[in-house]
Structures are given as C-alpha cells and as structure tokens.
Amino acid sequence: MAAYLCPPAVIHGEHAVETSQIVAEVRDRHPHAAWAPRIDGIAASTGIETRGWMLPLETVVAPGNGSGLRTVGTGAAQDALARDGFTQQDVDRVIAALESIPGPQTVQERTAPAWEAVQSYGERAARGALQIAGLDAADIDCLITSHSTTPALPGLDIALANKLQLRNDVMLLPATQWACIAGTRSLALAADLVAADPDRVVLVVIAEALSTTYQPADHTLESLIVRLLFADTAVAAVVTGRPRRESVLRLDSAWHHTLPGTQDLHRLETRADGTHFVMDRRGPRAVQETVTAMWEWLRVRYQDDPDSWHPDVLLAHPGGTRVLEYMEQTMPDAWPSGLLDYSRDSYTSGNRGGAAVFDIMRRAHDAGQKPGSRAVLYAAAPGLTATALEGEWL
C-alpha cells in the first residue's frame, strides 16, 4: 500500500474565543436553564480554555438582519390584529414594536460568511501544503476535499480548483459528509490512488467551520457542550506514490470499521436557524467499540511479533477525552505511556473534527520523530464509522 505523506499545513481559526466568553454569553442568554448552576463545572471539564474560530464570537451570536416579523410578514400580522378587533392605531403600535425586535440569523446569513471563510482558509492550507512539499499546483493530479459544516454545491473541490488554477484534467473527489473521519479516510483513499499509479500526486484539503453549529437559542445541555467543544481549522497535505525528499511518513496499511444501527448517535441536523450538532450519551461507548476493533486489527497485523511491536505514537481523534482515556486503559500493558500526548495537546484548544488528525500529526512532526518509529492514525465519526492507518516515520 506504500504511500508517502509530506508534513501537513495547518491553519487555525484566527479569532481566539475564550471559554469564559462562551460561558458569559450562554449564562446571559439562558439564565434559567436547568444546567445553569453547573455551567462553570461543565466548561472546566472540557479542558479547553480557548479555541480559534474563522469568525468572531460576536458575528456568530449576532441577530439577523430581519425583525421578529420576518416569518409571517407585516401584512399578515396586520390582518390578524385587525380581525381580532384592534384599532388601526393599536395595530400600528404592535407592528412597530414587533419590527423593533431583531430576529435570529437565517441559515443563509449564518452559512454564507462561514462558507467564504472555509474557501479562504482551505486555499491558504492548500498553498501551504504545496510549498512544504516543494510542488506547484500544476503537479497535482488529484484533489480530495472535505467540509461537512458548510454545505455547498459546487463545493470546496471546485472552489480550490479555480483558486489554485489546477490543471483541467485533475481528478476532483469531494467528500462533504466524512466529518470527523475526513483526516484518516482521505489519507486511506489517497493511498489507494497512488497504489494504482505511483506517479500520481494527491492533494488533500479539509476545512471545517465547526463554529456554525453554535446555536444561541438552543437551551439544551447538548447544545451547551457543542458550544464549548468545537474549533475551526483548515489543513492540507500532499500524498505521493514514491518517496520525496520532503516525505515524513510512509503509510503501510488502512482499516475501516462501521457499527450498524448507530447512525442516530451523533448527527448534524439542519433546522430553521441553521445547523445543529446532536449528540447522544451512548456515543462514547459506541466509539469505544471501534477502538476495541482497531486493537484487534493491530494484534492480527503484528501477531508474529506480539511482544516487541508497539506504535511509538498514536495520532487519534476519537471526539473526546473519555474515549482517549478508554484507549489508554485498553492498550496492552507492555506499550509505553504517552502515546496519546499529541492527541491530548491538540484537544486542549478544541475539537477540530475532520482536521484534527492532521493537526495532531503536525504536532508530532514538529516535536521530532525518529526514523523507523511506528505511527497509528485513528478517527471515528458520526455513523458510527472509523478509519485507522498504520505506517512508519521516515
């Protein structure tokens, strides 16, 4: 399967949003929520003090451009009031009062600026990855993209093909619904593509504005947690079928696993006010099942050398700290400690979704890895589905 990966480019959201800012905004908006007395403890339990967003918090929580009458319209409201016996003077006063109430942002108002940011950040990451790899846009034969939080057609693949001025014959492979698994699954696909043609050069770009799932009016506990977790990031990397001077990691094998009947545990829902990320408390346990299955895959892969083999670094995006703890608890006793240090470090500044594994990989690369060290990359996503890769640092 050998595929060669150059160091990824990582572009973090440039607007730093402090957890204390989110707590203050939510507390002010929902003072009587059942979880309000516990909000400080809930925020502290995430371990995240700040995260980067592509748009500032003020833009995300701002009211829409229309009034509270946007849905029914002024004419319909006037007619309804008149039918109920209001005088024209009273009708005018009520309409004026309602028009002074700002309405929430529409899906378009919320998504449009985020989509522009996703394209801009994606382009910056792509150009960074090309520079790191010592390549030009004309060298790219295939472009794989993912951006699940800003649906658009045409999508990020077409946008980047134009912005980067890729060749007209470049294969474009958009994967807008990979979500958290985009990092590992895009690399697995890229590895298959270069295995079929070792001279092929693949560019992977993932750009996620997860802050679009911040829904100010939603007063559920799950929505509070979503507000606190997510960060915005764009990442990109070049994958080749032959080693280059810039190559840092060789990918040797891939593994995929999907749990049937778990499609409702984590999901995106589009409602009148935009995209909501819905979580189920059973989700972490289901993700743990994929981790157990991955351990079995690695055990079988190295069954001829069970006592001496172990990964030297584990680049894992399981979606939360609970599953990271489970991964540590279920590792073989002989494995060294600290395999998840880079994963934990990345998570302290937010859950980056599909961009997370590339961010974790960049941290591991910058820290320095010995040639010949083994790496395992893992991610799980709504579905529930998981992909892992195993390879060697060069």
Side-chain angles (χ1 to χ4, degrees):
M1 174 188 173
Y4 298 88
L5 178 63
C6 294
V10 180
I11 310 296
H12 301 289
E14 63 188 18
H15 299 280
V17 179
E18 305 291 335
T19 294
S20 58
Q21 294 176 281
I22 295 175
V23 169
E25 195 279 329
V26 174
R27 179 180 281 126
D28 181 65
R29 192 180 295 270
H30 302 290
H32 305 298
W35 39 258
R38 299 184 290 124
I39 187 171
D40 290 321
I42 295 170
S45 69
T46 66
I48 302 168
E49 294 185 359
T50 186
R51 75 283 293 139
W53 285 357
M54 295 179 182
L55 301 173
L57 176 62
E58 295 77 13
T59 299
V60 172
V61 302
N65 294 322
S67 71
L69 285 175
R70 176 162 44 192
T71 302
V72 298
T74 301
Q78 288 176 331
D79 293 343
L81 291 169
R83 286 196 301 270
D84 282 349
F86 284 79
T87 67
Q88 186 59 47
Q89 183 178 11
D90 288 339
V91 168
D92 293 341
R93 291 174 56 195
V94 171
I95 292 299
L98 292 174
E99 286 182 332
S100 69
I101 302 174
Q105 293 184 41
T106 63
V107 176
Q108 180 182 10
E109 289 172 336
R110 190 67 189 278
T111 303
W115 170 228
E116 290 299 321
V118 162
Q119 295 175 79
S120 174
Y121 274 71
E123 180 184 1
R124 289 166 57 190
R127 293 190 184 280
L130 289 173
Q131 183 177 17
I132 290 170
L135 296 171
D136 297 321
D139 297 315
I140 300 303
D141 301 302
C142 177
L143 172 66
I144 302 173
T145 61
S146 185
H147 62 104
S148 62
T149 48
T150 45
L153 183 66
L156 186 60
D157 58 325
I158 296 295
L160 292 180
N162 285 281
K163 290 176 180 292
L164 300 175
Q165 297 183 336
L166 299 181
R167 302 193 320 265
N168 294 342
D169 63 344
V170 167
M171 182 191 305
L172 303 179
L173 295 174
T176 59
Q177 293 176 312
W178 273 349
C180 296
I181 211 171
T184 52
R185 193 155 291 179
S186 62
L187 292 178
L189 175 57
D192 287 341
L193 290 168
V194 299
D197 181 357
D199 292 322
R200 183 176 280 155
V201 177
V202 180
L203 174 64
V204 175
V205 183
I206 304 163
E208 289 287 16
L210 296 172
S211 57
T212 56
T213 63
Y214 190 114
Q215 296 298 342
D218 194 334
H219 58 79
T220 63
L221 176 61
E222 291 75 14
S223 180
L224 168 65
I225 295 173
V226 167
R227 287 171 166 94
L228 294 166
L229 290 184
F230 286 142
D232 296 347
T233 316
V235 297
V238 170
V239 181
T240 59
R242 304 186 192 279
R244 296 178 53 80
R245 180 175 58 85
E246 298 83 0
S247 302
V248 295
L249 184 64
R250 188 188 69 239
L251 303 175
D252 295 328
S253 62
W255 166 89
H256 305 282
H257 192 79
T258 301
L259 296 176
T262 59
Q263 65 270 20
D264 292 330
L265 296 187
H266 296 318
R267 62 191 185 276
L268 283 179
E269 288 185 355
T270 301
R271 304 175 187 171
D273 56 351
T275 302
H276 291 247
F277 186 76
V278 182
M279 299 188 298
D280 190 292
R281 294 182 180 180
R282 298 171 295 164
R285 180 61 62 183
V287 176
Q288 289 171 7
E289 290 187 41
T290 69
V291 172
T292 302
M294 179 185 65
W295 293 151
E296 178 62 15
W297 168 63
L298 290 172
R299 186 193 68 78
V300 172
R301 179 165 170 74
Y302 286 94
Q303 59 186 334
D304 295 333
D305 194 16
D307 296 326
S308 60
W309 182 86
H310 62 78
D312 296 286
V313 65
L314 182 53
L315 314 175
H317 175 61
T321 55
R322 286 177 59 188
V323 183
L324 287 175
E325 292 169 358
Y326 175 81
M327 295 179 82
E328 289 180 329
Q329 294 165 3
T330 56
M331 289 179 190
D333 293 337
W335 285 14
S337 61
L339 296 182
L340 288 165
D341 285 353
Y342 302 113
S343 299
R344 290 187 179 279
D345 183 52
S346 174
Y347 195 78
T348 60
S349 52
N351 181 328
R352 293 176 170 80
V357 165
F358 279 37
D359 177 67
I360 298 166
M361 186 193 319
R362 183 74 219 194
R363 292 167 191 263
H365 168 265
D366 289 347
Q369 302 298 317
K370 294 181 180 179
S373 298
R374 303 301 297 184
V376 172
L377 292 69
Y378 163 88
L384 280 163
T385 183
T387 290
L389 301 108
E390 195 267 335
E392 182 176 296
W393 292 98
L394 303 175

